[in-house]
Amino acid sequence: MSKENTPKPSKDAAAKPKRAQDVYTLVVELGRREGDGLPTSATGAGLLCYASGVDEAEAVRETVAVLKTADMNPLEVTGYGTLTEREAQGLEIDEEERALMMRALEENSVIVAQMTPYFAEDDET
């Protein structure tokens, strides 16, 4: 086989080394939208999510995109960091939460771990 027939690596592949994925803990505040699946009397909801990404910005973008395709109305996203960052803050992470984070990493996905609907009477306290 001659050198002329040997495939050359693309410039894009050489210029952009693949960055490692991590999992980020995010809390997403939802507003109402028709067909969102929230209880009828809810004014919105909060979601605890674990999302994979090469950085937190990518994890947020992917989470918002997934929620929008599910007819949800994400209003605000707050990031709480990676597992390593949270442990460095002295937070205890239980085995169930670790398992969900590992699942998000393995599946390169967004996992909604908890949903808390908000109701009008909650706002009055």
Side-chain angles (χ1 to χ4, degrees):
M1 181 178 221
S2 69
K3 287 187 177 180
E4 291 94 29
N5 293 335
T6 306
K8 296 179 183 177
S10 71
K11 291 180 182 179
D12 291 337
K16 296 181 182 179
K18 187 166 182 165
R19 293 171 56 194
Q21 296 273 320
D22 213 336
V23 176
Y24 295 84
T25 301
L26 307 172
V27 172
V28 182
E29 302 292 327
L30 299 176
R32 291 308 311 255
R33 175 186 251 170
E34 188 173 332
D36 61 14
L38 296 176
T40 306
S41 59
T43 59
L47 302 178
L48 172 62
C49 301
Y50 303 111
S52 64
V54 295
D55 56 26
E56 189 171 81
E58 180 185 57
V60 168
R61 283 191 304 274
E62 292 297 322
T63 300
V64 168
V66 166
L67 293 174
K68 285 183 175 183
T69 63
D71 290 330
M72 295 193 165
N73 183 21
L75 301 175
E76 185 175 329
V77 180
T78 304
Y80 290 92
T82 64
L83 175 63
T84 304
E85 292 168 343
R86 293 177 61 207
E87 287 176 326
Q89 295 170 4
L91 299 173
E92 291 186 30
I93 315 298
D94 66 31
E95 289 306 311
E96 183 179 351
E97 189 173 3
R98 286 176 190 275
L100 290 170
M101 293 172 133
M102 291 312 304
R103 181 176 162 205
L105 184 60
E106 290 167 0
E107 295 177 3
N108 188 25
S109 64
V110 176
I111 304 288
V112 177
Q114 183 178 352
M115 184 203 52
T116 304
Y118 301 144
F119 299 96
E121 58 269 11
D122 293 342
D123 296 333
E124 296 173 9
T125 57

